[in-house]
């Protein structure tokens, strides 16, 4: 379904570029509520495009292309918008969490056996982890033998 939406989005923006060919600057709203601004339109060329999604995410491209390539450009920008939305959702999911990396290596310094793992923990979980790590490390402390 996302591919169908992507194709329809690209086709609609390509249609807008053809419709406003030679207009220098054109702004329109797509059927799905995206605001599209096309600028630098001279002859068969488009200079730049700015697309704003209904939820406010914005992408732009300003390197110039032929009107006939607008569908490809729009499809690429659709992908960028989708990735931006996914990253925003991930940031929202991780809000308030602490990113923790735990690296384990040979205690005598062999760096080649190093492994790192990343976790996202709530502040209370991080405090418990630090306490547990300190307790476990204390268990490994060498106690001097009595003479």
């Amino acid at each position: 379904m996302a591919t169908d939406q992507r194709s329809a989005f690209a086709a609609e923006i390509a249609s807008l570029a053809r419709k406003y060919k030679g207009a220098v600057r054109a702004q329109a709203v797509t059927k799905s509520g995206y605001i599209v601004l096309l600028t630098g339109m001279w002859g068969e060329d488009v200079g730049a495009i700015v697309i704003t999604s209904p939820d406010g995410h914005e992408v732009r491209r300003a390197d110039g292309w032929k009107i006939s390539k607008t569908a490809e450009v729009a499809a690429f920008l659709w992908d960028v918008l989708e990735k931006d939305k996914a990253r925003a959702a991930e940031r929202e999911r991780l809000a308030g969490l602490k990113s923790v990396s735990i690296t384990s290596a040979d205690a005598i310094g062999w760096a080649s056996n190093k492994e790192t793992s990343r976790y996202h923990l709530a502040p209370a979980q991080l405090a418990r982890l630090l306490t547990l790590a300190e307790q476990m490390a204390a268990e490994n402390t060498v106690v001097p033998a009595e003479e």
Side-chain angles (χ1 to χ4, degrees):
M1 180 166 179
T3 303
D4 293 341
Q5 288 177 328
R6 180 181 186 259
S7 298
F9 176 81
E12 186 174 5
I13 291 178
S15 175
L16 288 171
R18 287 188 303 275
K19 177 180 177 181
Y20 294 110
K21 177 180 168 181
V24 181
R25 179 182 172 94
Q27 183 169 333
V29 178
T30 66
K31 294 173 190 167
S32 51
Y34 289 83
I35 299 170
V36 179
L37 173 65
L38 297 161
T39 60
M41 296 177 60
W42 298 99
E44 292 294 319
D45 297 317
V46 178
I49 187 170
V50 178
I51 300 172
T52 306
S53 68
D55 60 0
H57 287 86
E58 184 178 279
V59 291
R60 54 183 71 224
R61 179 170 169 177
D63 60 350
W65 62 91
K66 296 289 181 190
I67 285 180
S68 62
K69 297 289 183 184
T70 301
E72 292 173 35
V73 170
F76 170 78
L77 291 175
W78 171 270
D79 293 342
V80 172
L81 278 168
E82 290 298 306
K83 287 176 188 170
D84 287 352
K85 287 178 190 177
R87 281 194 301 268
E90 181 67 6
R91 281 192 305 273
E92 188 174 314
R93 186 184 73 78
L94 296 175
L97 298 180
K98 301 291 184 182
S99 179
V100 178
S101 295
I102 298 177
T103 301
S104 61
D106 190 338
I108 59 173
W110 292 99
S112 63
N113 294 333
K114 187 166 63 170
E115 292 181 26
T116 301
S117 301
R118 178 172 294 273
Y119 306 95
H120 298 99
L121 304 174
Q125 292 173 312
L126 178 58
R128 287 196 329 254
L129 176 65
L130 291 172
T131 300
L132 180 60
E134 289 171 2
Q135 290 171 353
M136 293 173 74
E139 292 172 7
N140 294 329
T141 303
V142 177
V143 177
E146 293 184 22
E147 293 180 32

